[in-house]
Amino acid sequence: MDPIKLRCDCGKVELHIVARPAPPQGNRVICHCDSCRAFPRALGRADVLGPGDGSDIVQIRCDRLSIAQGTEHIAALRLSPKGLARWYAACCNTPLGNTGPSPSYPFFGALTYGIAGKEALGPVKARVNIPKDRALPEDLPPTSGSTLGAFLSIGRIMFGGWLKGAQKRHPLFPGGEPLVEPRVISLEEKAAAYA
């Protein structure tokens, strides 16, 4: 199977996700949490967000990810000192995805924005982390599962990753250290991103 390609807008960075024979390729959700909304906004890329400010994410085990090109252009930020590492292509500020704060979390949440042919990923299982104070548009496409099912799926990905030692083969944490040290955004950037 050819890998699923995640590319930045200018084409300098390309990540590969090992494809399975058939979808689903991972746990695909649309996250509406404030942090997933703030990440692209901190990069000046609110255009990456979908309807209702959702981030379309496919969560995979980290050892299914590889860096095909552009390692030197990959950067990371954190929205808080101990928050998730959020990876992007610094060449064109394209958000790529997120990982746990350290390599001990064997997953990568790839933003599907840079993936052509999203049908290979399978259907969106659920919309998750919808803030109570934010109403979503009523005409959003339906999802194929439930929030509980989506959370159980990421649990299976994480648990399976730990059993297989996937965190030792995390391409964004080679040798257990981050590929680049994530920059913690300033309070001013944070205020603007969360507005």
Side-chain angles (χ1 to χ4, degrees):
M1 294 285 307
D2 290 334
I4 294 167
K5 296 174 182 177
L6 170 60
R7 292 187 176 121
C8 72
D9 281 347
C10 72
K12 290 180 180 173
V13 174
E14 183 175 303
L15 305 180
H16 287 178
I17 297 169
V18 175
R20 296 176 180 159
Q25 299 299 334
N27 187 42
R28 188 173 177 196
V29 299
I30 296 182
C31 186
H32 293 274
C33 80
D34 289 337
S35 296
C36 282
R37 179 176 167 250
F39 170 41
R41 289 175 181 267
L43 298 173
R45 293 301 308 270
D47 62 301
V48 169
L49 297 168
D53 280 348
S55 288
D56 189 344
I57 300 170
V58 62
Q59 299 164 321
I60 60 167
R61 211 174 64 206
C62 63
D63 60 346
R64 291 186 59 214
L65 179 74
S66 63
I67 301 169
Q69 68 182 37
T71 303
E72 69 277 15
H73 299 293
I74 295 175
L77 61 80
R78 294 186 199 278
L79 300 172
S80 63
K82 294 186 179 182
L84 297 179
R86 296 180 183 270
W87 302 87
Y88 65 98
C91 42
C92 56
N93 276 0
T94 302
L96 301 171
N98 60 66
T99 63
S102 74
S104 60
Y105 298 87
F107 82 93
F108 180 69
L111 272 77
T112 67
Y113 168 80
I115 297 174
K118 291 179 184 44
E119 62 278 356
L121 301 174
V124 173
K125 289 184 181 175
R127 293 181 180 278
V128 298
N129 303 319
I130 301 166
K132 291 181 176 39
D133 63 344
R134 193 168 355 123
L136 297 181
E138 292 183 13
D139 58 347
L140 294 175
T143 58
S144 68
S146 68
T147 301
L148 176 60
F151 283 112
L152 289 174
S153 289
I154 188 61
R156 281 193 300 276
I157 290 168
M158 297 277 282
F159 186 67
W162 284 317
L163 286 177
K164 294 181 183 282
Q167 67 274 20
K168 296 174 187 165
R169 298 180 301 281
H170 203 310
L172 296 170
F173 290 93
E177 296 298 322
L179 185 66
V180 293
E181 191 60 40
R183 173 182 71 86
V184 179
I185 66 171
S186 69
L187 292 175
E188 292 79 16
E189 289 174 296
K190 191 170 185 174
Y194 279 88

